[in-house]
Amino acid sequence: MSRLANPEFWAGKRVFLTGHTGFKGSWAQLWLRQMGADVAGYALPPLSEPSLHALLGTPGADGHLGDIRDPDALTDAVQAHDPEIILHMAAQPLVRESYRTPAETFDVNVMGTVRLLEAARRAQALKAIVVVTTDKVYRNDESGRHFPEDATLGGHDPYSGSKAACELVVSTWRDAFLRERGIRVATARGGNVLGGGDFSADRLVPDIVRAALSGQALDIRSPLATRPWQHVLDCLNGYFVYAEALHGDKTTVDALNFGPSPAERQIPVRDVASAIQTAMGLPSRWRDTSSVDQPREMQTLGLDPALAAKTLSWTSRLSQQEAIAWTANWYDGWRKGGNARALTLDQIDAFMKG
């Protein structure tokens, strides 16, 4: 059984969470607060309408709206909260958007991280930083192999390249500045996340929901592409357990993968879409748009999470099929008038109970 985040550890901990208005950040903020953490968020306003952040009714007083590239505002926010732990999730997270805005993607993902780490150097109580990157930091040769943490970093698209560069930034600031302060900083490379409340553009599950609400057929760009699918709670649980270990100096590992076991079948995009549509009681309708001229995206991607299992006793608690079912249940409940906050809390509670 996978190790779970420890509510006793998080109770009363001051946590600075960047990207708290995003999809994963909204889940993270709610879960951390359920465990009793004192969370201060820092992010741009939500980019989607609706947004999970708004649906959860998160009090605005507990977060700062600002740009992580603004050094003065960011430093002021960090110093005001005096965090013990920083979880850095703020990013430009979309591959296709990175082709449209490559310079801005690098500015946000690389220089935004630089600004955060510079602000962290002035934090007096800080013990640990987890910088969230991505499964796409590896130089993907389309071999279908599951990448371990020591695989070559790189990227064919601006998003992947920016996140690989972010990894180098973290390594530099750790060696040059943070280690001597006793601040542990590491990167977490999560797989493709499924879960309720994601309304971003150019993502599979939100596209399914939008197609269902509009009565349109779903367009799938790469039906046979495979990804390391996992539920958002499994991914966040990895981040939290990692932060606990870093805070307590219980691991010396500076980067970890968080994803499903390589023993699980790699599920193609079309099968994920059909399973979610079926679970929501929708007809399984989609159109293959792979022939349309579009930016290149990798067809195969896998992570090897063995090091997380060895060092943290972390593994995915939910199978990929269970992650799909939980995601469909959340959206189906919300689509039928359910309260988003209650739906999210119910799944957090069920996850913690195993």
Side-chain angles (χ1 to χ4, degrees):
M1 182 64 72
S2 176
R3 180 180 166 190
L4 273 170
N6 182 2
E8 292 183 2
F9 170 87
W10 291 99
K13 285 288 189 302
R14 295 188 306 280
V15 181
F16 192 79
L17 172 65
T18 72
H20 72 289
T21 61
F23 164 56
K24 276 202 292 189
S26 295
W27 276 87
Q29 183 171 232
L30 184 60
W31 189 359
L32 287 168
R33 285 181 173 155
Q34 282 298 107
M35 293 191 290
D38 177 7
V39 185
Y42 188 93
L44 295 172
L47 297 178
S48 66
E49 176 57 44
S51 75
L52 183 60
H53 177 75
L55 290 173
L56 293 180
T58 307
D62 296 318
H64 307 268
L65 294 181
D67 194 318
I68 58 170
R69 295 168 293 178
D70 182 338
D72 294 335
L74 182 58
T75 299
D76 288 348
V78 170
Q79 290 185 338
H81 195 58
D82 192 25
E84 298 160 83
I85 295 172
I86 292 177
L87 299 175
H88 179 38
M89 297 187 188
Q92 194 299 95
L94 302 174
V95 171
R96 283 162 63 87
E97 177 61 26
S98 78
Y99 278 106
R100 291 187 286 265
T101 58
E104 183 175 356
T105 297
F106 268 79
D107 198 17
V108 172
N109 294 348
V110 179
M111 291 310 300
T113 301
V114 168
R115 300 303 185 198
L116 176 71
L117 296 177
E118 279 292 276
R121 292 174 61 191
R122 299 170 175 82
Q124 297 303 307
L126 186 61
K127 296 295 183 184
I129 307 171
V130 174
V131 175
V132 174
T133 59
T134 177
D135 53 1
K136 299 174 182 63
V137 296
Y138 300 108
R139 186 71 179 176
N140 193 343
D141 55 6
E142 295 277 33
S143 66
R145 70 189 180 112
H146 294 78
F147 293 101
E149 286 83 356
D150 60 358
T152 301
L153 301 181
H156 289 281
D157 58 83
Y159 168 71
S160 302
S162 72
K163 283 297 193 175
C166 177
E167 293 272 350
L168 295 177
V169 163
V170 172
S171 177
T172 299
W173 258 253
R174 177 173 51 240
D175 293 344
F177 307 114
L178 298 173
R179 182 178 283 125
E180 66 185 27
R181 285 273 322 277
I183 298 171
R184 295 297 312 282
V185 55
T187 56
R189 304 163 184 174
N192 278 52
V193 170
L194 302 172
D198 188 358
F199 297 100
S200 303
D202 287 334
R203 280 189 181 151
L204 178 62
V205 178
D207 285 348
I208 293 171
V209 175
R210 281 188 284 267
L213 293 176
S214 65
Q216 302 294 315
L218 171 68
D219 291 335
I220 299 182
R221 300 187 302 272
S222 302
L224 298 180
T226 58
R227 295 291 184 265
W229 309 105
Q230 64 179 332
H231 195 270
V232 62
L233 288 172
D234 262 322
C235 191
L236 291 177
N237 186 51
Y239 300 165
F240 296 165
V241 169
Y242 201 6
E244 292 174 24
L246 292 167
H247 184 278
D249 265 333
K250 295 179 180 178
T251 181
T252 59
V253 176
D254 294 329
L256 283 175
N257 292 333
F258 296 99
S261 168
E264 285 199 71
R265 180 177 75 91
Q266 290 279 85
I267 304 176
V269 169
R270 67 180 184 187
D271 291 358
V272 174
S274 295
I276 289 177
Q277 289 171 325
T278 299
M280 291 177 64
L282 302 169
S284 182
R285 291 196 304 145
W286 55 270
R287 296 179 298 202
D288 181 350
T289 61
S290 58
S291 62
V292 177
D293 185 35
Q294 56 191 338
R296 180 186 179 190
E297 294 184 78
M298 297 295 100
Q299 291 300 297
T300 62
L301 179 58
L303 286 180
D304 182 353
L307 189 58
K310 179 181 179 180
T311 61
L312 301 179
S313 297
W314 177 95
T315 57
S316 288
R317 294 171 67 84
L318 300 177
S319 69
Q320 292 179 94
Q321 294 293 350
E322 288 172 323
I324 290 168
W326 282 41
T327 300
N329 288 342
W330 192 101
Y331 281 107
D332 197 43
W334 174 74
R335 186 170 65 101
K336 293 175 179 176
N339 178 273
R341 187 181 183 88
L343 290 166
T344 306
L345 287 172
D346 284 348
Q347 291 198 343
I348 291 173
D349 184 59
F351 184 86
M352 291 293 284
K353 289 178 178 177

